[in-house]
Amino acid sequence: MTSCGPSTSTPTAPSTPANTGCPSCSSAADQIGNLRQLHVRNTSLAAVTRAPYAKLAAYRERMGWSFPWYSSAGGDFNYDFHATVDERVAPVQIFHRSEAELADAGMPWSPSMRGDWPGMSAFLRVGDEVFHTYSTFGRGIEEFHNGYPYLDLTALGRQEAWEEPKGRATPLGLQVGGPAMRIPDEYD
């Protein structure tokens, strides 16, 4: 799992202060529970953030999270797996689209889009070799916001503007990247 953490800029939350995590990534991270069922299957989950380890460790402690979290500060990891986009470091690729494909899709690249984008990647280790087997971004990470399936079962749903029937619930702006989404402990 790659993650926007403290001291990163993220296009989905441009107003996020430098010492605070991304509300979207923090929401997903807040829902990571006990990893026992992964571990008994020789699998683990870890978050990776470009923030210096001291900052992310303090943020992890503030949130009360216990999953492994690593810093890629000073390394290429986030650029290699397109969770950090900066054309000055690596070719642009967002949502598995090149700069030209983004323009064709009506989302032309601009320097204002530089920064960290939430993403999930999977890897397989065989001996000393590590293979990248999967990545997803954008709506693909929705699966990791575990509260959504429960909200989908309720009469009010997610309370987002796109839901039918219109007027069933007032949109709250709490969707991933929404204007009212906050860091998890800010709802308390």
Side-chain angles (χ1 to χ4, degrees), residues 139 142 148 156-164 166 168-176:
R139 297 291 290 197
E142 183 176 283
Y148 285 162
L156 295 179
R158 299 179 190 193
Q159 301 168 47
E160 295 181 19
W162 59 267
E163 293 179 279
E164 297 288 338
K166 296 287 184 201
R168 170 180 58 176
T170 302
L172 301 175
L174 295 172
Q175 72 274 10
V176 172

Side-chain angles (χ1 to χ4, degrees), residues 1-143:
M1 174 172 130
T2 55
S3 173
C4 304
S7 193
T8 61
S9 63
T10 179
T12 58
S15 62
T16 300
N19 289 319
T20 304
C22 162
S24 173
C25 292
S26 295
S27 173
D30 204 46
Q31 297 170 64
I32 296 171
N34 188 311
L35 300 177
R36 178 179 26 241
Q37 293 301 317
L38 293 179
H39 295 164
V40 299
R41 291 168 176 85
N42 298 317
T43 302
S44 193
L45 176 144
V48 178
T49 303
R50 285 188 317 133
Y53 184 76
K55 281 189 176 185
L56 70 88
Y59 189 68
R60 178 177 171 239
E61 184 173 327
R62 170 185 155 190
M63 293 293 123
W65 299 331
S66 60
F67 56 85
W69 198 355
Y70 300 95
S71 171
S72 64
D76 296 336
F77 183 87
N78 287 53
Y79 298 100
D80 291 345
F81 297 101
H82 310 290
T84 300
V85 181
D86 187 335
E87 81 288 0
R88 300 167 300 184
V89 177
V92 170
Q93 186 175 355
I94 300 173
F95 306 140
H96 301 287
R97 292 180 173 169
S98 68
E99 191 171 345
E101 292 168 325
L102 288 167
D104 288 346
M107 185 180 162
W109 167 258
S110 76
S112 68
M113 298 165 76
R114 287 182 191 135
D116 298 312
W117 292 70
M120 303 289 284
S121 292
F123 301 89
L124 173 67
R125 181 177 176 175
V126 178
D128 290 337
E129 292 187 81
V130 177
F131 301 91
H132 175 229
T133 61
Y134 177 81
S135 283
T136 190
F137 307 93
R139 297 291 290 197
I141 66 169
E142 183 176 283
E143 182 69 27

